[in-house]
Amino acid sequence: MKEKEWRGFAVQSVVLLVIVLALSVFHPGNIISENGTKVMADGATEDKKRVKKKEALQEYEGPVRTDEAHIKARSSTYIKIPKTVVPTGASIYLTDNYMKRGIKLVIGGTAGKKLKKEDIARYNNGSKFTGSTSKKNKKDIVENISTRYYLTKKKKYRTVFDFKTRHLYVPVLYETDTGYFISLARPRDVYDRIIVLDAGHGGIDEGTSSAKGHHEKEYTLLVLQELKKLMDKTNIKVYYTRLSDEKVTKAARTDLANNLEADLFISIHCNSSEKGDGKAYGVETLYSKRKPVNSRLGNKKLSQILLDSVAEEVDNKKRGVIRREGLYIMHHSDVPASIIEIGYMSNKSDLKYILSKSGRKKVARGIYKGIMEALG
């Protein structure tokens, strides 16, 4: 390299270093990434189009105006933040992370004051708790509280409270004349019908793969996303074990269904032939003889309904309803559960509709019809 070129390279390096140093002085509280959605310090979110499709968008709920009588009528378990500790004009919202029994409360725009655990009270059937939590105190509805603070460019604090609740709740953020309330009601007290839908595998758990490297985890999620569009048009409450490419343990998936006392628990998977010859094809469902608690619908019956519905929709072979006791989900589910194997990634014909959007829509429509029939 010539001397003149060396000088030019040196100048570019210095400029780049200056830019990096300049960027590093900005406080990380100005933009905080929340599971794929960038949340601004004032509570606004980035345009969804700029967020990667494979990442789940975090849903934030603002406060609903009501009175204390309505809140106490909904549930005797709630969290209260007095307005005396929240400055006028501050933004406040929450998000529900039900897979971890977590609730995130965000309070932004507080000038010169940090909110603390002691500012928040937890109520359970008339008993009041403040400050730190204790695992030994079973009456406290909150098992743990963590607090984070961020300082914005306008020198205002943004406080994030992460609550881990002792049970699974449906949280709603309310506002009254005296404060903000997070009402915590049991799902069964809120919804008539509850189902859990599971996209098999995820994250580092890729599942099976096609010869050209198409991973099961990607296509179970794509089918689930098509199914979600259909379920969103119903009045059925649906919980999803994952809506992004993340690893979720089998225990977490099953615990969700059991804790919700769900009416149905359906896990979506793709199949593959151990022989690798590509001859095996078709749709099959898996079940356990384990009897669901408080349900007239058995696992085998649910599996038969799903098999018939999906195979008919994709016009494929019914391989059968197969008993599998050794699978974790099958062996530990207390609610009606079925694994639907939508087709073989090792078979060219099955793989064709698994990879195509129109094919995945048919699979989703088949599962949807099966759900509606099973629920009666």
Side-chain angles (χ1 to χ4, degrees), residues 113-180:
K113 183 176 182 179
K114 294 181 179 179
L115 275 71
K116 302 176 181 178
K117 294 178 184 178
E118 289 71 22
D119 296 323
I120 296 176
R122 291 102 58 191
Y123 292 85
N124 183 10
N125 293 312
S127 298
K128 179 181 177 181
F129 306 93
T130 58
S132 298
T133 58
S134 171
K135 288 187 176 181
K136 295 181 180 180
N137 188 355
K138 301 300 182 182
K139 290 184 178 180
D140 193 345
I141 53 177
V142 176
E143 192 175 278
N144 183 59
I145 307 174
S146 63
T147 312
R148 291 172 286 150
Y149 302 102
Y150 304 93
L151 191 62
T152 69
K153 290 180 181 179
K154 295 181 180 180
K155 305 300 180 184
K156 291 185 177 181
Y157 285 106
R158 184 174 185 270
T159 307
V160 179
F161 292 102
D162 284 301
F163 301 94
K164 183 174 182 181
T165 55
R166 212 167 282 279
H167 302 285
L168 188 61
Y169 294 107
V170 181
V172 176
L173 179 62
Y174 290 108
E175 178 185 4
T176 70
D177 292 335
T178 61
Y180 296 95

Side-chain angles (χ1 to χ4, degrees), residues 1-207:
M1 187 180 288
K2 296 180 181 178
E3 183 178 352
K4 186 176 181 180
E5 292 175 329
W6 272 110
R7 289 177 181 174
F9 177 75
V11 171
Q12 290 176 358
S13 299
V14 172
V15 171
L16 179 61
L17 178 61
V18 171
I19 292 173
V20 171
L21 291 173
L23 289 173
S24 67
V25 301
F26 287 99
H27 197 279
N30 294 326
I31 300 179
I32 304 167
S33 178
E34 296 287 356
N35 199 22
T37 300
K38 290 184 178 178
V39 182
M40 313 308 287
D42 62 358
T45 56
E46 229 183 23
D47 189 338
K48 291 182 180 180
K49 291 181 181 179
R50 296 174 61 186
V51 181
K52 292 181 180 179
K53 289 183 179 181
K54 70 177 182 178
E55 296 178 326
L57 296 173
Q58 196 78 50
E59 295 182 358
Y60 292 95
E61 302 283 344
V64 177
R65 188 76 189 184
T66 189
D67 54 45
E68 287 197 34
H70 174 262
I71 294 167
K72 292 177 181 178
R74 181 179 188 265
S75 175
S76 60
T77 53
Y78 54 89
I79 299 168
K80 181 179 180 180
I81 307 96
K83 280 197 171 177
T84 54
V85 301
V86 181
T88 303
S91 60
I92 180 167
Y93 48 95
L94 67 77
T95 186
D96 178 14
N97 184 4
Y98 53 78
M99 285 301 296
K100 297 181 179 180
R101 300 200 319 272
I103 301 168
K104 188 190 302 294
L105 178 70
V106 182
I107 303 174
T110 57
K113 183 176 182 179
K114 294 181 179 179
L115 275 71
K116 302 176 181 178
K117 294 178 184 178
E118 289 71 22
D119 296 323
I120 296 176
R122 291 102 58 191
Y123 292 85
N124 183 10
N125 293 312
S127 298
K128 179 181 177 181
F129 306 93
T130 58
S132 298
T133 58
S134 171
K135 288 187 176 181
K136 295 181 180 180
N137 188 355
K138 301 300 182 182
K139 290 184 178 180
D140 193 345
I141 53 177
V142 176
E143 192 175 278
N144 183 59
I145 307 174
S146 63
T147 312
R148 291 172 286 150
Y149 302 102
Y150 304 93
L151 191 62
T152 69
K153 290 180 181 179
K154 295 181 180 180
K155 305 300 180 184
K156 291 185 177 181
Y157 285 106
R158 184 174 185 270
T159 307
V160 179
F161 292 102
D162 284 301
F163 301 94
K164 183 174 182 181
T165 55
R166 212 167 282 279
H167 302 285
L168 188 61
Y169 294 107
V170 181
V172 176
L173 179 62
Y174 290 108
E175 178 185 4
T176 70
D177 292 335
T178 61
Y180 296 95
F181 293 76
I182 303 175
S183 173
L184 301 173
R186 295 293 184 102
R188 272 294 165 197
D189 293 334
V190 178
Y191 306 114
D192 292 328
R193 294 183 293 179
I194 300 172
I195 68 173
V196 173
L197 296 178
D198 173 45
H201 307 282
I204 60 173
D205 178 11
E206 297 177 339

